[in-house]
């Protein structure tokens, strides 16, 4: 039945296709998969055929081609394996995480995914079963069907192929067991470990035992981590990601390393700003399951970082925000209520709103020439290209991502790689206006508030003149005093759909 064994090797780059071949590609794909005659292939005990289109895996009904038993979007598949014992030894299990349907699952916070599995029994045809597993694994790894077909396999039956499995990926997983509501370990056991296992991803696990454990382990690694791992997955809050980013950049060649090695944030802390911002870009809900899904199926996306030099002369690499005034006070001084999750922020917000504290100081920014400049009190333009704003300040919030937490849409319209700081400045405000401001933050409405002035800059200096105060850098306290910040455009890599 087969002319010859055909080897499909994904590591070879695709030969250029002729125009004619390109034009008829669509039919060729379907023929690739329709040609097989698999009387012995069963789905739920009933004879079926298996087809692959450019976007779907189709378990077809041989008796009624128009109504297949199942259609699975290939973009939802995370894993495929052969399981089976005894007579049923060639059962292909395909695990997919489609978006859940229904009004309560696709709400404003993004789309939720649910796990589903299907089993196809290839009875005695081990070769076809294995080929299917490997083809689907290539697709999970990012190979698209056109390039599969471009390898010269058009029109061949899957039974006649010899498809090599792609190499397994290896992730470094770092779990902070004390982040947020102390759910790190549970998130690892319930979502991360099983999903990565289903996806065939090899894992090296580090459960942190103290602050800076993640950072130190990364700095002390003998081998270049980007040679061993395809991603670092952090389970916890932004604090653990902060350690990983700062650990990576402290290594020799750290800047290159941050570009090569993607960082994944699985939300498990009080502040999950990076996870939310990344998942928001691809309309995914900010849940551990969706985050792991995106880690498995995602492609690389650049993320801006910034270099923040604090008054003690130390430099930090930041990815979310630097806050001073209201937001910093709320974020940092509510730490003792961290067991409440993000609710702590609302409780603290009420307290600080009633207190309404003004700070004095100076903010100097190198503004983007093309961006509109809002009108501010005490604002002067210097000859050095920097614009200076003098106090009073109720808050200054310089951010690089769209969200600072799951329910904090701090920077509406901010893209992870736009190469700028978006700085929200509030100089004065009544308490009533503060209520308005704080209530609007979860939806990002605060940017429309007339008292909130939004600037776009690539560098800034913050010089506090009030003795007591706090700076929150990505949710962590940093020394209070003269601080400079510079954008590092596209300096890191995350994964997104
Ligand atoms: P949260 O969002 O709740 O603050 P994070 O993951 O951001 O959670 O972590 C908060 C802090 O906990 C970070 O500054 C990190 O350095 C620290 N940390 C990490 N692991 C541990 C540990 N095992 N024990 C104590 N602190 C830790
Ligand atoms: Mg934190």
């Amino acid at each position: 039945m087969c002319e010859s064994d055909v080897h499909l090797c994904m590591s070879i780059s695709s030969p250029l296709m002729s125009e004619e071949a390109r034009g008829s590609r669509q039919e060729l794909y379907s023929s690739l998969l329709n040609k097989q005659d698999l009387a012995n292939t069963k789905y739920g005990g009933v004879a079926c055929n298996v087809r692959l289109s450019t976007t779907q895996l189709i378990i077809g009904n041989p008796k009624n081609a128009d109504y297949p038993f199942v259609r699975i979007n290939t973009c939802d598949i995370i894993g495929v394996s052969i399981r089976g014992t005894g007579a049923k030894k060639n059962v292909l299990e395909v695990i997919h995480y489609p978006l859940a349907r229904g009004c309560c699952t696709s709400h404003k916070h993004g789309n939720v995914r649910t796990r589903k599995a299907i089993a196809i029994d290839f009875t005695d045809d081990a070769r076809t079963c294995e080929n299917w597993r490997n083809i689907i694994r290539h697709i999970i790894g990012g190979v698209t069907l056109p390039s599969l077909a471009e390898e010269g396999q058009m029109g061949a039956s899957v039974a006649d192929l010899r498809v090599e499995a792609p190499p397994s990926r290896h992730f470094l997983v770092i779990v902070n067991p004390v982040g947020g509501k102390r759910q790190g370990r549970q998130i690892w056991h319930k979502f991360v470990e099983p999903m990565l296992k289903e996806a065939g991803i090899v894992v090296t696990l580090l459960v942190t035992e103290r602050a800076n454990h993640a950072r130190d382990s990364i700095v002390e690694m003998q081998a270049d981590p980007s040679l061993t791992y395809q991603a670092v997955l952090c389970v916890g809050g932004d604090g653990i990601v902060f350690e990983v980013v700062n650990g990576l950049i402290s290594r020799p060649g750290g800047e290159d390393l941050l570009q090569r090695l993607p960082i994944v944030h699985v939300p498990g802390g009080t502040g999950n700003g990076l996870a939310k911002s990344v998942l928001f870009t691809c309309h995914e809900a900010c849940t551990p399951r969706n985050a792991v899904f995106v880690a498995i199926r995602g492609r690389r996306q650049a993320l801006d970082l910034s270099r923040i030099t604090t008054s003690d002369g130390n430099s930090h690499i930041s990815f979310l925000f630097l806050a001073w005034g209201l937001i910093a006070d709320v974020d940092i001084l509510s730490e003792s209520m961290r067991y409440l999750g993000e609710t702590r922020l609302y409780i603290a917000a009420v307290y600080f709103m009633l207190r309404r504290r003004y700070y004095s100081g100076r903010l100097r920014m190198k503004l983007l020439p093309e961006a509109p400049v809002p009108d501010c009190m005490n604002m002067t333009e210097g000859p050095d290209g920097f614009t200076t704003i003098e106090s009073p300040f109720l808050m200054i919030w310089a951010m690089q991502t769209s969200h600072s937490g799951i329910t904090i849409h701090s920077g509406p319209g901010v893209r992870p790689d736009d190469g700028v700081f978006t700085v929200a400045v509030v100089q004065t405000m009544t308490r009533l206006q503060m209520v308005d401001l704080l209530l609007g933050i979860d939806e990002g409405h605060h940017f429309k508030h007339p008292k909130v002035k939004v600037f776009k800059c690539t560098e800034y200096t913050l010089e506090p003149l009030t003795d007591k105060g706090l700076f929150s850098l990505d949710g962590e306290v940093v020394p209070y005093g003269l601080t400079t910040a510079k954008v590092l455009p596209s300096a890191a890599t995350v994964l997104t759909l």
Side-chain angles (χ1 to χ4, degrees):
M1 125 189 177
C2 64
E3 296 119 50
S4 65
D5 273 1
V6 193
H7 291 253
L8 194 61
C9 178
M10 299 308 143
S11 55
I12 301 170
S13 67
S14 309
L16 285 175
M17 290 176 79
S18 68
E19 276 308 310
E20 196 189 332
R22 212 179 290 279
S24 57
R25 208 155 57 177
Q26 189 56 53
E27 297 104 86
L28 292 170
Y29 303 146
S30 38
S31 72
L32 163 73
L33 306 148
N34 279 329
K35 225 177 117 179
Q36 54 184 332
D37 171 25
L38 296 167
N40 286 338
T41 307
K42 297 212 163 66
Y43 174 73
V46 182
C48 71
N49 55 46
V50 185
R51 303 188 330 251
L52 198 58
S53 78
T54 42
T55 56
Q56 289 187 325
L57 175 69
I58 302 154
I59 316 301
N61 179 354
K63 294 194 180 135
N64 189 346
D66 294 338
Y67 291 96
F69 295 127
V70 198
R71 286 173 185 274
I72 298 175
N73 291 325
T74 47
C75 63
D76 293 333
I77 301 174
I78 68 153
V80 56
S81 56
I82 297 171
R83 62 172 171 79
T85 45
K88 290 197 164 204
K89 57 186 182 306
N90 295 308
V91 177
L92 188 76
E93 188 178 45
V94 182
I95 315 278
H96 60 127
Y97 281 75
L99 294 169
R101 296 210 185 94
C103 56
C104 45
T105 49
S106 94
H107 49 71
K108 63 180 179 178
H109 294 307
N111 297 313
V112 181
R113 290 184 178 272
T114 47
R115 181 188 185 279
K116 292 197 171 161
I118 58 144
I120 309 161
D121 187 354
F122 287 88
T123 50
D124 54 357
D125 193 351
R127 169 93 168 257
T128 305
C129 186
E130 233 170 75
N131 280 340
W132 270 115
R133 180 194 60 191
N134 294 347
I135 288 174
I136 296 170
R137 282 194 179 160
H138 281 288
I139 288 170
I140 295 169
V143 172
T144 53
L145 196 55
S147 65
L148 272 171
E150 278 167 28
E151 298 289 345
Q153 305 312 314
M154 286 87 76
S157 159
V158 169
D160 306 336
L161 302 174
R162 169 121 21 108
V163 186
E164 309 284 337
S168 328
R169 291 184 283 171
H170 192 167
F171 282 8
L172 173 63
V173 178
I174 300 181
V175 177
N176 176 2
V178 301
K181 296 179 183 168
R182 298 179 169 262
Q183 299 283 308
R185 270 182 218 275
Q186 283 94 314
I187 293 171
W188 155 252
H189 285 302
K190 196 164 169 207
F191 302 102
V192 188
E193 187 183 28
M195 288 178 77
L196 294 182
K197 198 169 171 195
E198 283 169 352
I201 294 171
V202 180
V203 168
T204 297
L205 176 68
L206 171 72
V207 180
T208 61
E209 287 161 9
R210 56 179 169 82
N212 285 324
H213 189 179
R215 186 197 153 107
D216 296 347
S217 319
I218 286 178
V219 173
E220 286 159 15
M221 269 174 203
Q222 295 287 317
D224 176 346
S226 73
L227 298 179
T228 316
Y229 308 111
Q230 280 74 53
V232 183
L233 193 143
C234 309
V235 183
D238 294 309
I240 203 76
V241 182
F242 188 81
E243 283 195 22
V244 167
V245 170
N246 282 279
L248 288 172
I249 204 142
S250 311
R251 290 181 61 92
E255 284 176 16
D256 286 344
L257 187 52
L258 271 174
Q259 295 208 326
R260 283 199 303 272
L261 186 59
I263 295 170
V264 176
H265 182 193
V266 176
T270 323
N272 301 298
L274 184 65
K276 176 66 194 182
S277 301
V278 169
L279 293 167
F280 183 75
T281 62
C282 47
H283 315 288
E284 294 281 319
C286 187
T287 64
R289 178 182 281 154
N290 287 53
V292 180
F293 176 85
V294 173
I296 294 166
R297 292 305 310 262
R299 57 184 165 74
R300 289 162 167 268
Q301 152 77 47
L303 174 76
D304 293 338
L305 299 177
S306 54
R307 186 177 293 280
I308 313 284
T309 309
T310 43
S311 54
D312 56 357
N314 284 332
S315 98
H316 308 263
I317 299 298
S318 153
F319 50 91
L320 291 177
F321 63 87
L322 178 73
W324 181 35
L326 180 66
I327 300 299
D329 294 347
V330 168
D331 184 19
I332 303 295
L333 297 173
S334 62
E335 283 279 292
S336 56
M337 296 186 283
R338 61 169 56 247
Y339 58 89
L340 292 175
E342 282 185 11
T343 311
R344 75 181 166 111
L345 301 172
Y346 292 94
I347 296 171
V350 174
Y351 172 77
F352 286 103
M353 189 190 64
L354 294 172
R355 245 183 79 192
R356 192 174 52 161
R357 184 164 173 211
Y358 285 107
Y359 292 85
S360 61
R362 205 170 282 132
L363 169 67
R364 300 178 70 242
M365 292 177 284
K366 189 169 193 177
L367 297 179
L368 269 201
E370 63 271 25
V373 181
D375 201 23
C376 246
M377 284 193 291
N378 310 329
M379 185 163 77
T380 48
E381 223 172 289
D384 53 357
F386 276 80
T387 298
T388 304
I389 305 174
E390 307 255 356
S391 39
F393 294 118
L394 192 70
M395 67 164 231
I396 293 176
W397 201 356
M399 48 211 142
Q400 289 190 285
T401 54
S402 62
H403 290 74
S404 305
I406 294 181
T407 57
I408 310 165
H409 196 5
S410 46
V414 173
R415 282 183 293 110
D417 60 345
D418 55 13
V420 290
F421 291 113
T422 300
V423 188
V425 177
V426 177
Q427 290 186 296
T428 58
M429 215 176 226
T430 63
R431 288 198 173 84
L432 203 62
Q433 285 173 323
M434 284 172 82
V435 176
D436 217 22
L437 172 96
L438 291 166
L439 288 178
I441 291 181
D442 62 343
E443 296 284 349
H445 295 323
H446 58 301
F447 267 34
K448 294 185 205 136
H449 198 290
K451 292 281 187 161
V452 179
K453 313 289 178 177
V454 181
F455 298 87
K456 300 273 179 188
C457 70
T458 51
E459 276 178 59
Y460 65 83
T461 304
L462 199 51
E463 187 184 349
L465 297 171
T466 306
D467 277 353
K468 276 197 183 143
L470 281 171
F471 281 170
S472 168
L473 180 63
D474 294 357
E476 310 293 319
V477 193
V478 289
Y480 181 71
L482 182 68
T483 297
T484 60
K486 211 174 165 175
V487 175
L488 305 172
S490 300
T493 310
V494 290
L495 296 173
T496 179
L497 294 183

